[in-house]
């Protein structure tokens, strides 16, 4: 068994409309699924991805109006990366961020890659990372956006950074249970702290890495809007998913048990520092209930919620995705 790389990250937002405007109009990602939080059907769940909703390109948001802002700290998925093709693309994005008033930092090296750190309007810490021809997990299919050239479009998820007080317990789970391997380290950009550790799975590359930042000086994160709820890793099929469920139990790792999300199957568990991990299947995918060409345009519900559609729609707040920035 081998995890293929990152599957998706799920983040909290206080206003889905502004979130939609930022991720589609500013970042040029595609809304591939507009659905509900299956654990709280009064809340929207939006999925942004590449042009085809490819596993490993997805950033999802739970919409919780009125949610307080995240207080950053340890036991946190502190940074989410998005892949672009080249360093030239980073310069394009710097100019675009200037145009839209997006907070960003200067281009800097992380793990020997050129990167551009920025934040969305809710303070989510994001990072553009340039592939520059690096081998590893294949990128996604760029979504056509009229003012973003395809050669500069976002093409998938890059590394996630986990900020923890003590790295050893997290490393133990990553390597001894999840099969990740040590892939190097690089200096912290936050001051005089331990080097950031890099662990990789599958074919490696930026789409298959977890970076671990050690920060014993930080309090525990208080998760709110702009905070990352969990990170999911790719399981190729249901057969291996069943084996992963057994593996977690064999290692006495408390977990959710098998969860049917319809678009993928999921397993949830917390690593020892309290960060929520998910194992998700690549199959069947987002086009299983909508044509590829029109994904994300209407409210999609999995079959087990479809009989409750009228009740669900009545309790959902109106969602005007045509709001201006």
């Amino acid at each position: 068994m081998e995890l293929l790389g990152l599957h998706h990250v799920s983040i909290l937002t206080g206003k889905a409309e502004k979130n939609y405007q930022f991720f589609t109009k500013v970042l040029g990602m595609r809304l591939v699924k507009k659905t509900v939080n299956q654990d709280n059907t009064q809340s929207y769940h939006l999925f942004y991805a590449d042009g085809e909703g490819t596993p490993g390109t997805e950033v999802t948001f739970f919409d919780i109006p009125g949610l307080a802002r995240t207080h950053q700290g340890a036991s946190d998925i502190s940074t989410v990366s998005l892949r672009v093709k080249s360093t030239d693309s980073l310069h394009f994005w710097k100019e675009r961020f200037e145009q839209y008033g997006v907070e960003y930092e200067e281009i800097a090296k992380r793990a020997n890659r050129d990167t551009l750190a920025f934040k969305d309007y809710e303070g989510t810490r994001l990072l553009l990372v340039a592939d520059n021809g690096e081998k590893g997990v294949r990128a996604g299919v760029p979504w056509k956006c009229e003012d973003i050239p395809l050669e500069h479009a976002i093409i998938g998820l890059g590394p996630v950074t986990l900020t923890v007080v003590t790295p050893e317990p997290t490393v133990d789970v990553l390597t001894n249970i999840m099969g990740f391997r040590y892939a190097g380290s690089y200096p912290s950009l936050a001051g005089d702290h331990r080097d950031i550790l890099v662990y990789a799975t599958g074919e490696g590359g930026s789409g298959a890495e977890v970076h671990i930042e050690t920060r014993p000086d930080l309090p525990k994160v208080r998760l709110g809007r702009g905070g990352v709820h969990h990170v999911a890793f790719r399981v190729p099929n249901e057969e291996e998913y069943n084996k992963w469920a057994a593996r977690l139990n064999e290692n006495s790792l408390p977990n959710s048990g098998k969860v049917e999300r319809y678009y993928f199957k999921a397993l949830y568990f917390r690593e020892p520092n309290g960060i929520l991990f998910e194992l998700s299947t690549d199959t069947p995918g987002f086009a299983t209930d909508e044509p590829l060409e029109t994904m994300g345009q209407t409210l999609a519900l999995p079959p087990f919620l479809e009989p409750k559609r009228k009740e669900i729609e009545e309790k959902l707040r109106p969602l005007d995705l045509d709001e201006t920035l």
Side-chain angles (χ1 to χ4, degrees), residues 62-73:
F62 298 113
D63 176 49
I64 308 175
L67 191 65
R69 180 166 286 203
T70 288
H71 291 266
Q72 295 166 342

Side-chain angles (χ1 to χ4, degrees), residues 275-287:
I275 296 171
L276 186 60
F277 285 175
E278 177 183 343
L279 305 182
S280 300
T281 58
D282 277 5
T283 54
F286 291 120

Side-chain angles (χ1 to χ4, degrees), residues 5-260:
L6 298 164
H7 188 283
H8 68 267
V9 294
S10 290
I11 307 175
L12 306 178
T13 179
K15 190 170 186 183
E17 291 88 346
K18 286 187 71 175
N19 174 263
Y20 170 82
Q21 291 292 326
F22 186 84
F23 276 83
T24 63
K25 306 304 182 185
V26 178
L27 296 187
M29 298 181 73
R30 182 184 183 186
L31 178 67
V32 295
K33 193 64 61 177
K34 180 172 68 173
T35 184
V36 295
N37 180 347
Q38 295 178 13
D39 300 320
N40 174 15
T41 59
Q42 295 183 44
S43 171
Y44 288 101
H45 192 183
L46 305 181
F47 290 75
Y48 307 102
D50 71 344
E52 297 182 356
T54 308
T57 71
E58 303 156 18
V59 182
T60 95
F61 285 85
F62 298 113
D63 176 49
I64 308 175
L67 191 65
R69 180 166 286 203
T70 288
H71 291 266
Q72 295 166 342
S75 296
D76 188 24
I77 303 167
S78 55
T79 305
V80 172
S81 300
L82 300 168
R83 295 167 66 182
V84 293
K85 287 185 178 179
S86 69
T87 302
D88 285 344
S89 298
L90 300 183
H91 291 286
F92 166 84
W93 284 101
K94 276 187 63 175
E95 292 182 9
R96 188 168 178 83
F97 291 161
E98 287 281 354
Q99 175 188 349
Y100 282 96
V102 175
E103 181 181 350
Y104 71 90
E105 299 176 11
E106 291 303 311
I107 295 172
K109 287 282 187 185
R110 292 173 171 85
N112 204 35
R113 300 184 185 106
D114 288 331
T115 64
L116 174 62
F118 67 103
K119 293 181 180 179
D120 72 1
Y121 66 96
E122 290 181 304
T124 306
R125 288 185 285 183
L126 300 161
L127 191 73
L128 293 175
V129 55
D131 277 4
N132 284 326
E134 179 183 357
K135 294 181 179 179
V137 173
R138 188 176 64 180
V141 180
W143 178 236
K144 293 180 181 178
C145 189
E146 62 181 20
D147 59 347
I148 300 175
L150 284 179
E151 64 266 25
H152 298 318
I154 289 168
I155 50 176
L157 282 173
V160 293
T161 300
L162 313 182
T163 297
V164 298
V165 170
T166 307
E168 288 79 10
T170 301
V171 169
D172 180 63
V173 168
L174 282 172
T175 56
N176 293 325
I177 294 179
M178 299 174 67
F180 277 72
R181 60 191 179 273
Y182 177 70
S185 65
Y186 60 99
S188 170
L189 273 68
D192 187 19
H193 301 289
R194 289 174 59 176
D195 285 356
I196 295 173
L197 306 175
V198 178
Y199 289 85
T201 186
E203 295 179 61
S206 64
E209 288 181 359
V210 171
H211 296 188
I212 301 180
E213 177 186 37
T214 304
R215 292 292 302 273
D217 58 308
L218 295 178
K220 187 172 182 179
V221 66
R222 288 161 55 193
L223 199 61
R225 72 178 188 271
V228 184
H229 186 265
H230 66 266
V231 56
F233 302 96
R234 291 174 58 197
V235 177
N237 52 51
E238 188 171 354
E239 180 183 358
E240 289 207 9
Y241 169 80
N242 292 331
K243 293 178 180 178
W244 278 107
R247 185 180 183 88
L248 296 183
N249 291 330
E250 288 165 2
N251 284 273
S252 301
L253 198 60
N255 64 86
S256 64
K258 298 177 184 179
V259 180
E260 175 60 76

